[in-house]
Amino acid sequence: MITKDSPQKDTSARPVLDAKATSDTRTQLSRTMHDNARQALRHQSTFRLAIVGVVLVMNITIFPPAENAPSCYAIMALYAAMSIGILALHPRRSLFILSCIMSITDVAAVTSVLWIAGGFPGPLSPYLPLFDDLYFLIPIVAAFQIYPSITAGAGGASAIGYALGASLSDPRPSAPYIFAHAVFISLAASCAITASRVYHSRADTIGRLVVARSVLLAQTMTVEERERQAISETLHDGALQDILAARQDVQEAIELRDDSREQLARAEMALTDAAEQLRYSVGELRPELLSAQGLDAALHHVAITAAERGNFELKYSAQQPFETDIDQIVFRAASEILNNIVKHAQARHVIVRLNVDAARTCLLIEDDGLGISPAAVEKARKSGHIGLASQQVRIEGAGGTMAVTSRDPQGTRVFMQIPTRRTDRTH
């Protein structure tokens, strides 16, 4: 287990790096929300053009304005031009302000056309019988926003704008008609606000998923680089040094020529050690024994190898009546734990117990070494030692749990359990 702090690099720049990472995350999330807001604005503009087209056709063919028809058509044309301009432009900033302006424009366009055209229609008005219903469409159009506040403002302005405009118009619709219309506009606005909140929540979730994907990708690349560095250090500090020493002994034997048995013996020993280290490293990278003979055999082999490397007494027991789909996860986690014991625990006795049944797979590893606390595990993870933490993530991803606790009177106890997913193959 990890019991000592490894030599660390200067962490004085860590707050700066953390601040930069936080800033990058906020920037990426803001960019995602901005893209969703721009897309919503374009959808709104398309909907506005459709509304203008339908109303214009109906005004020309069925319900012409009672007064100032050219002015009404001019307002509609200007409104349509603004919508086309939104579609043509690709604004990179101030989308909130632009959305506010367009929502205000919606209310202003409908209200001004109604005033110019001859007043707000009543229940029995012979002209523009559908025009006041456009107030219902204002909050619906605003529902495309990822800004619920703008939708609420547009809905409130729509209801108030209709009530004031209709009350001040001449002729004026009846008070019950105005009230009922305003209430139904408010209900439509409430539905639109809810839809806008859902849209905002989904956009925010998508943005956070994008950020999480980038963070996970960066972490994956970091872990891969660390794995490569660990392999490089293992080969350089172990097998390579033995091979170089053997080479030196062989060169000395060639130079002496007469009696070189001692140098050759040292060379043989160094090459034997190098072969064992290379065999162990290759087994760590690709455990052939796991796929060939199963988890029990592979775990037993790794535990025996760890006992030889760490010079501790091993008590191993296993019950595995069948193979499972999580054997690889259990094996990797056990290898990481045993490797930590060899490197850091200074243990004299280690217990490894594997139990597999139809419900769950359990693995217990105990040692009587220096011990570790959960706080030390978290400290190691934050300082970059994420081997054990990454195994815990894999176990939790498979629906299991892993607990690291202190052992009485000293040492560490690691217990993991994962729901068993049985394969079709059996021993």
Side-chain angles (χ1 to χ4, degrees), residues 19-90:
K20 184 179 184 301
T22 302
S23 177
D24 292 342
T25 298
R26 290 176 179 174
T27 299
Q28 195 164 12
L29 181 59
S30 176
R31 186 183 300 114
T32 302
M33 296 296 288
H34 175 88
D35 292 340
N36 279 272
R38 183 170 59 187
Q39 185 179 14
L41 197 59
R42 292 174 64 84
H43 288 328
Q44 287 179 300
S45 298
T46 303
F47 197 18
R48 289 186 181 102
L49 287 174
I51 294 174
V52 171
V54 171
V55 172
L56 188 61
V57 170
M58 294 183 66
N59 285 169
I60 294 175
T61 58
I62 305 176
F63 305 112
E67 302 174 5
N68 302 317
S71 299
C72 292
Y73 296 148
I75 294 175
M76 292 184 200
L78 181 60
Y79 184 62
M82 292 182 64
S83 300
I84 293 174
I86 296 296
L87 288 174
L89 295 177
H90 297 280

Side-chain angles (χ1 to χ4, degrees), residues 70 119 154 260 281 286 300 309 334-335 381 385 402 410 418 422:
S260 57
S281 298
R286 187 177 181 183
H300 193 197
R309 294 169 57 219
S335 299
R381 184 187 67 81
H385 301 283
M402 184 175 78
Q410 69 176 25
I418 310 175
R422 185 170 180 172

Side-chain angles (χ1 to χ4, degrees), residues 40 80 174 227 232 247 250-251 253 262 267 291 301 310 319 339 381:
S174 64
E227 289 292 338
S232 174
R247 179 186 176 187
V250 171
Q251 288 178 344
E262 182 180 353
S291 58
H301 175 73
Q319 292 183 353
N339 191 46
R381 184 187 67 81

Side-chain angles (χ1 to χ4, degrees), residues 16-237:
V16 177
L17 295 177
D18 292 343
K20 184 179 184 301
T22 302
S23 177
D24 292 342
T25 298
R26 290 176 179 174
T27 299
Q28 195 164 12
L29 181 59
S30 176
R31 186 183 300 114
T32 302
M33 296 296 288
H34 175 88
D35 292 340
N36 279 272
R38 183 170 59 187
Q39 185 179 14
L41 197 59
R42 292 174 64 84
H43 288 328
Q44 287 179 300
S45 298
T46 303
F47 197 18
R48 289 186 181 102
L49 287 174
I51 294 174
V52 171
V54 171
V55 172
L56 188 61
V57 170
M58 294 183 66
N59 285 169
I60 294 175
T61 58
I62 305 176
F63 305 112
E67 302 174 5
N68 302 317
S71 299
C72 292
Y73 296 148
I75 294 175
M76 292 184 200
L78 181 60
Y79 184 62
M82 292 182 64
S83 300
I84 293 174
I86 296 296
L87 288 174
L89 295 177
H90 297 280
R92 297 183 178 180
R93 59 183 62 185
S94 303
L95 283 177
F96 183 85
I97 297 176
L98 187 58
S99 299
C100 288
I101 293 174
M102 291 306 299
S103 295
I104 294 172
T105 303
D106 293 337
V107 179
V110 172
T111 304
S112 60
V113 168
L114 283 172
W115 272 90
I116 294 174
F120 283 64
L124 303 177
S125 299
Y127 57 90
L128 297 178
L130 300 177
F131 235 106
D132 57 349
D133 290 336
L134 291 177
Y135 281 100
F136 284 98
L137 295 179
I138 293 175
I140 293 176
V141 172
F144 286 97
Q145 295 285 347
I146 65 169
Y147 309 115
S149 58
I150 295 181
T151 306
S158 180
I160 295 173
Y162 168 77
L164 290 177
S167 299
L168 298 176
S169 64
D170 186 20
R172 183 181 67 181
S174 64
Y177 181 82
I178 295 175
F179 177 77
H181 227 61
V183 169
F184 277 98
I185 292 173
S186 300
L187 289 176
S190 299
C191 294
I193 294 170
T194 302
S196 182
R197 285 177 176 172
V198 172
Y199 188 25
H200 178 274
S201 177
R202 289 182 177 178
D204 182 70
T205 301
I206 292 172
R208 295 186 184 280
L209 289 175
V210 170
V211 172
R213 175 183 175 275
S214 300
V215 172
L216 288 175
L217 179 60
Q219 290 179 347
T220 300
M221 296 176 65
T222 302
V223 169
E224 181 180 353
E225 185 62 30
R226 283 175 178 161
E227 289 292 338
R228 291 179 177 178
Q229 182 178 354
I231 294 171
S232 174
E233 290 176 354
T234 299
L235 296 179
H236 180 272
D237 297 340

Side-chain angles (χ1 to χ4, degrees), residues 241-311:
Q241 298 302 319
D242 289 336
I243 291 173
L244 292 175
R247 179 186 176 187
Q248 181 66 30
D249 290 335
V250 171
Q251 288 178 344
E252 291 179 3
I254 294 174
E255 292 174 358
L256 292 175
R257 293 186 180 180
D258 50 357
D259 187 6
S260 57
R261 285 177 296 178
E262 182 180 353
Q263 287 79 10
L264 291 177
R266 289 201 306 265
E268 181 185 8
M269 184 179 299
L271 290 174
T272 300
D273 291 341
E276 286 296 325
Q277 293 176 24
L278 289 174
R279 187 178 295 112
Y280 175 78
S281 298
V282 170
E284 283 286 298
L285 293 175
R286 187 177 181 183
E288 296 289 348
L289 195 59
L290 178 63
S291 58
Q293 299 185 28
L295 177 61
D296 184 7
L299 183 58
H300 193 197
H301 175 73
V302 168
I304 291 175
T305 304
E308 294 175 353
R309 294 169 57 219
N311 194 26

Side-chain angles (χ1 to χ4, degrees), residues 348-394:
R348 293 177 296 175
H349 302 86
V350 175
I351 299 173
V352 178
R353 292 176 183 170
L354 173 68
N355 184 35
V356 180
D357 58 33
R360 62 179 184 170
T361 297
C362 299
L363 177 66
L364 171 68
I365 300 179
E366 291 184 335
D367 69 75
D368 59 354
L370 299 179
I372 185 175
S373 65
V377 176
E378 181 65 17
K379 181 180 179 181
R381 184 187 67 81
K382 290 182 177 180
S383 62
H385 301 283
I386 60 175
L388 196 60
S390 65
Q391 299 303 327
Q392 184 171 4
V393 169
R394 295 182 66 186

